[in-house]
Amino acid sequence: MYMKYQTGFKKKIKLVKLSQHVLRSTRTQHMGKKNSSKDNLSNKRQFSSIVEALQSVYKQKIKPLEQQYHFDTFHSTCLTDADLGAKPMVLLLGQYSVGKSTFVKYVLQRDYPGINIGPEPTTDRFVAIMHGEERVIPGNAAAVSMDLPFTALTKFGASFLSKFQVSQCESPVLEDFTLIDTPGVLSGEKQRVGRAYEFTDVIEWFAERSDLILLIFDAHKLDISDEFKRSIVALRGHDEKIRVVLNKADMINAQQLMRVYGALMWSLGKVFKTPEVTRVYLGSFWDQPLHIRECEALLQAEQEDLLQDLRGLPRNATIRKINELVKRTRMARVHALIISHLKSEMPQMWGKGSKQNSLIENLEAEFEKLSRQHQLARGDFPDPTHFKEKLANHKIDKFAKLDKKMLTMVDEAIGQDLPKLMQEFPQTQRALPVLARNPFEQYSGSPTESEKTSPPPDQLWSQDCMDRAAYVKVFNTLNPVEGKVSGNAARPILASTGLDQPTLAKIWRLADWTKDGYLDADEFVVAMWLAEIKKNDWAELPEVLPETLIPKRRV
């Protein structure tokens, strides 16, 4: 019987009136303040202008130095505008069958084109999952597209590009970042047999451009194979991006989980060789119920922490780009000094071959001499072993001499241009108020006997019954900050339903299932639906919010 209220002209009229009411209230309460959509648009334009300035500084002052001293052959290929303007990237790395592709599905809440999940090594290629029209772009086509940040992958050859693809899908999650799924690493040398590209070099390339690197482990498979170890070693220099995920943690009990966690930290300590503890997230990242619920609260809290890290990526994307470019520029400057110093040590006429061999053999001593001469930190120098391997493929006497003008331009970029961009970065961002979270809390108390009734009809507690689009439209008029509204912002619209204060307080408690004191869009929709149920006397409010009303949305 209640369904006639669900789809009718009267309901639409009510929603229109509610929208008009909240618009009037908002104008009264926030006179003189900018609309949040205008703020967001302004911020996006400001971020876009900063990225454009970043591209200009790189092309004019940094890229010439990289090209002059062969930075691309020793470290990383030159950046393109697409690289600097790309969305944040999340690199997933782990051995086979640890749940990397399933993790992607868990985050997106859907399959992506070309996904293949199974207990055996099913993902045999690198897959960039991006936002766009549903399609799969083969690697060779993706590498020549100037709109995609993958043109530099041509350096790894056609064999690698045949094992690379871009999968585009219209997931709202991918509007904020790109996910990079990788082939599962096998034990020993098995995976390298028949592989026509250097796996660790590709990992290093993606790591440099990623904003977050997730090392995924299976709770039943903690061993670190030779190739996996080499891949982790290739991540050095990007320690601040690395997070560890212990997946399938619901398959073991609390005592076993404690031992597995300790064993994992011990194994990682031998690979990372740093005193700092790597952040480890515990969880079961798939859409099935937990097998062992002994640690359910812990696993849910850990999973939410990881998802919160993902949500925060877009917010600081521009500042991370500046940080990465500063790091790259410092590396390029030191590289130019090394190359020019080795050039200056070469004889003019005879004995060039023997002198080059001597310089390569005693490279650590040359680094030390250069460090004292230019007052450079030893941590800014590259790994000597890796540098020797690259240096052996070049003739040092053919390198360019030190160009002081180029060095001055790079110093200006580090000391003036990039810090100036940091100052132009928006310093003040709208923050959620810490007071007045549940605006009806002062009226709330223990539920009265009149609130306790028999359960309502099952169909009332389904998301299909709610006119979500209409409620979201009302939500957007409340000037949400970081996707949430405070109690003061939501009070007028909820109070306009005519319900008493204790009822509204209960509705807030039920709808705020995250217990953070604010309502996001999903929680606001539920709050409005509960108010409508109560107002029309379709049913009494439940003591616990039915799970069928909570959308299974991850990010």
Side-chain angles (χ1 to χ4, degrees):
M1 177 178 179
Y2 77 92
M3 289 300 292
K4 65 182 179 182
Y5 296 100
Q6 177 64 25
T7 55
F9 182 72
K10 291 182 179 180
K11 180 178 178 182
K12 295 186 181 296
I13 293 295
K14 283 194 295 181
L15 288 172
V16 170
K17 290 181 179 179
L18 288 176
S19 299
Q20 293 172 342
H21 174 83
V22 75
L23 281 171
R24 288 193 297 269
S25 302
T26 302
R27 291 192 189 102
T28 303
Q29 294 179 10
H30 303 283
M31 188 66 67
K33 293 186 179 181
K34 294 182 179 180
N35 183 275
S36 64
S37 61
K38 292 182 179 179
D39 290 341
N40 292 337
L41 182 59
S42 176
N43 285 340
K44 286 182 179 179
R45 288 174 178 170
Q46 193 167 9
F47 294 155
S48 178
S49 65
I50 292 174
V51 170
E52 289 176 2
L54 207 59
Q55 294 167 342
S56 177
V57 169
Y58 175 74
K59 285 189 288 188
Q60 295 178 14
K61 296 188 175 182
I62 303 170
K63 188 176 180 179
L65 183 84
E66 294 184 357
Q67 293 174 329
Q68 178 84 346
Y69 296 101
H70 307 283
F71 183 80
D72 58 331
T73 59
F74 284 84
H75 298 281
S76 177
T77 54
C78 295
L79 301 176
T80 64
D81 287 349
D83 289 324
L84 292 170
K87 296 175 183 178
M89 285 188 185
V90 180
L91 177 64
L92 308 179
L93 186 61
Q95 301 184 94
Y96 77 94
S97 194
V98 296
K100 297 187 299 298
S101 299
T102 306
F103 177 87
V104 174
K105 181 179 177 181
Y106 174 87
V107 171
L108 301 182
Q109 283 294 282
R110 53 158 294 174
D111 292 337
Y112 62 83
I115 189 173
N116 191 11
I117 299 175
E120 73 283 359
T122 52
T123 304
D124 65 340
R125 60 190 63 235
F126 285 79
V127 184
I129 303 104
M130 308 182 71
H131 185 267
E133 183 182 351
E134 301 275 339
R135 60 174 177 169
V136 173
I137 305 176
N140 285 282
V144 298
S145 175
M146 299 306 295
D147 296 332
L148 299 175
F150 304 118
T151 54
L153 288 174
T154 53
K155 64 178 283 190
F156 298 112
S159 297
F160 165 74
L161 293 177
S162 66
K163 294 293 184 180
F164 172 69
Q165 72 180 42
V166 174
S167 293
Q168 292 184 332
C169 60
E170 297 178 342
S171 169
V173 175
L174 296 175
E175 293 178 0
D176 295 327
F177 54 81
T178 297
L179 295 167
I180 307 295
D181 196 4
T182 60
V185 181
L186 293 176
S187 59
E189 300 293 317
K190 295 177 182 178
Q191 183 85 349
R192 302 190 70 192
V193 176
R195 181 178 278 163
Y197 62 91
E198 188 58 47
F199 183 77
T200 53
D201 287 350
V202 177
I203 290 296
E204 190 173 356
W205 187 92
F206 276 108
E208 183 179 349
R209 287 158 175 79
S210 296
D211 295 76
L212 189 65
I213 303 170
L214 299 181
L215 302 180
I216 302 181
F217 289 84
D218 187 328
H220 294 92
K221 196 161 40 179
L222 299 180
D223 60 305
I224 299 178
S225 65
D226 297 337
E227 190 172 37
F228 195 22
K229 181 178 180 179
R230 285 193 296 271
S231 301
I232 296 176
V233 170
L235 301 178
R236 287 179 180 170
H238 307 288
D239 301 41
E240 74 282 0
K241 304 177 184 179
I242 299 175
R243 306 288 187 273
V244 176
V245 177
L246 182 58
N247 198 16
K248 306 180 185 180
D250 64 324
M251 299 293 184
I252 53 180
N253 60 36
Q255 184 181 24
Q256 293 170 331
L257 181 59
M258 179 182 65
R259 292 176 178 173
V260 166
Y261 180 85
L264 176 61
M265 296 302 293
W266 181 79
S267 298
L268 292 174
K270 294 197 302 181
V271 178
F272 283 106
K273 297 181 180 178
T274 57
E276 293 84 7
V277 177
T278 306
R279 175 66 163 99
V280 178
Y281 296 98
L282 312 176
S284 178
F285 297 93
W286 65 337
D287 294 324
Q288 302 300 318
L290 299 179
H291 282 258
I292 299 177
R293 296 183 174 274
E294 189 175 352
C295 299
E296 182 175 4
L298 171 65
L299 298 184
Q300 289 179 348
E302 289 283 297
Q303 289 173 192
E304 180 58 30
D305 284 349
L306 177 55
L307 296 178
Q308 194 63 37
D309 267 3
L310 294 176
R311 295 186 191 104
L313 286 176
R315 196 177 310 146
N316 302 313
T318 308
I319 198 168
R320 275 195 302 271
K321 288 183 185 298
I322 297 175
N323 177 69
E324 287 300 309
L325 189 57
V326 169
K327 186 165 66 173
R328 180 188 178 95
T329 306
R330 288 172 61 89
M331 188 186 303
R333 184 180 186 277
V334 171
H335 174 79
L337 292 173
I338 293 173
I339 294 298
S340 59
H341 170 76
L342 295 176
K343 165 73 174 179
S344 66
E345 294 292 317
M346 292 294 290
Q348 294 293 329
M349 299 291 291
W350 297 282
K352 294 181 179 179
S354 59
K355 183 60 176 179
Q356 172 160 331
N357 293 335
S358 175
L359 288 172
I360 294 176
E361 184 178 350
N362 299 290
L363 191 61
E364 291 88 344
E366 298 300 324
F367 281 1
E368 190 65 35
K369 185 191 302 184
L370 198 60
S371 175
R372 292 194 302 268
Q373 182 180 348
H374 294 277
Q375 298 181 346
L376 301 173
R378 288 294 285 118
D380 289 340
F381 284 81
D383 177 55
T385 304
H386 182 73
F387 202 84
K388 286 179 182 180
E389 294 175 359
K390 301 289 186 180
L391 198 59
N393 298 322
H394 294 79
K395 290 185 177 181
I396 297 179
D397 64 302
K398 300 296 183 183
F399 287 146
K401 295 181 180 179
L402 182 63
D403 189 325
K404 293 185 178 180
K405 183 179 178 180
M406 280 189 178
L407 204 63
T408 300
M409 291 173 63
V410 168
D411 289 339
E412 287 179 358
I414 297 176
Q416 300 177 23
D417 298 328
L418 296 178
K420 184 179 178 181
L421 289 179
M422 286 292 296
Q423 293 176 358
E424 293 178 5
F425 194 86
Q427 298 296 319
T428 58
Q429 296 184 358
R430 299 173 66 226
L432 285 163
V434 296
L435 299 177
R437 294 186 169 185
N438 184 340
F440 314 102
E441 192 169 19
Q442 61 267 37
Y443 302 99
S444 62
S446 301
T448 62
E449 290 299 322
S450 62
E451 293 177 315
K452 299 179 181 178
T453 61
S454 59
D458 294 340
Q459 57 267 37
L460 272 177
W461 314 114
S462 170
Q463 295 182 52
D464 297 334
C465 294
M466 299 184 291
D467 191 350
R468 176 180 171 82
Y471 291 140
V472 170
K473 189 176 295 185
V474 176
F475 175 81
N476 290 333
T477 67
L478 298 176
N479 295 331
V481 180
E482 297 182 6
K484 299 179 181 180
V485 294
S486 65
N488 282 339
R491 179 196 288 270
I493 187 67
L494 290 172
S496 67
T497 61
L499 298 174
D500 58 43
Q501 297 288 356
T503 301
L504 291 175
K506 182 174 183 178
I507 288 174
W508 185 283
R509 289 197 304 269
L510 290 171
D512 183 20
W513 59 75
T514 57
K515 304 304 179 187
D516 62 352
Y518 308 100
L519 298 183
D520 61 20
D522 292 326
E523 292 170 328
F524 180 82
V525 168
V526 170
M528 293 299 295
W529 177 240
L530 292 176
E532 189 161 353
I533 290 175
K534 183 62 178 176
K535 183 178 180 179
N536 290 286
D537 290 328
W538 294 335
E540 291 297 324
L541 296 176
E543 298 304 317
V544 179
L545 186 70
E547 292 186 2
T548 52
L549 286 179
I550 302 177
K552 296 181 178 179
R553 204 181 313 277
R554 307 303 182 194
V555 179

